[in-house]
Amino acid sequence: MIYVGNWKMNQSFEGAQKFLQSLKKRVSEEKQKSYIILSPAVLFGLMKDEFSGTNFNWGGQNCFYKNEGPYTGENSPQLMYEMGARYVLVGHSERRLLFGETHEMILEKAHIIVQNKMTPILCVGESLEQRSQFQNVLKSQLTGFSNISPLMVAYEPVWAIGSGKIPNNLQIQSALSVIKEAVPQSTVLYGGSVNSQVFRTLLCKELEGFLIGKASLNVDSFILE
Ligand code: PGA
């Protein structure tokens, strides 16, 4: 199983350092699980210091769709790779809703992430109002991604993020089958209110891992035991 922690805009420098050191101690013998931390890009130096030479991976929560140029405030995917990042999240609903990211921008980002030898982790998922037509929502969010490889796709219903509400097993399975049909090359994850109390109820045979927000801020809750 793959456990991806999305720290969002959280953690202090000291808190992050303590987290990484304690994670390495807690799971150094793990063979079955792989852990990826998506930290704020300003922490990549720390990620590199703590994770280089280990089995842990790290990545970004967003990047720009070009490698360099006059784009004040943006993060270069090429530089992210140089700093050791191997994954970048794209299309998280917070970026779609709060920062107006369009489908075209998200697709362009996914292309440049792959060109830079990293794996895009695409978030897809319906809002509560779109619940009855979730299949169409997922299909449209996956348009153009069938030739992106490698690719991870996280099914993250918007209504489940940070709400404590989770879909039932049947709902997850039907979402995963829409995803697998549209992008068969992808590795599929589930995200939205995942924690150590509920993760077992979310498991199903197609599921290859979890995208974990709030619970990833604490080692005990992130390792999902
Ligand atoms: P949550 O966030 O686990 O806090 O619901 C998940 C996410 O937004 O990726």
Side-chain angles (χ1 to χ4, degrees), residues 48-60:
K48 203 167 187 282
D49 287 347
E50 295 294 338
F51 276 180
S52 292
T54 71
N55 291 331
F56 295 97
N57 275 292
W58 68 98

Side-chain angles (χ1 to χ4, degrees), residues 15 20 41-43 55 76 101-102 133 148 155 169 202 222-223:
L20 301 174
V42 286
L43 289 178
N55 291 331
S76 154
E101 287 201 3
T102 63
Q133 345 123 43
I148 303 265
Y155 171 53
N169 228 254
L202 298 163
F222 176 51
I223 58 178

Side-chain angles (χ1 to χ4, degrees), residues 21-38:
Q21 289 171 354
S22 128
L23 182 68
K24 285 190 289 186
K25 277 197 201 115
R26 288 286 299 275
V27 296
S28 56
E29 298 302 317
E30 286 294 345
K31 296 266 185 317
Q32 323 282 331
K33 299 177 186 169
S34 88
Y35 291 92
I36 302 166
I37 300 284
L38 305 176

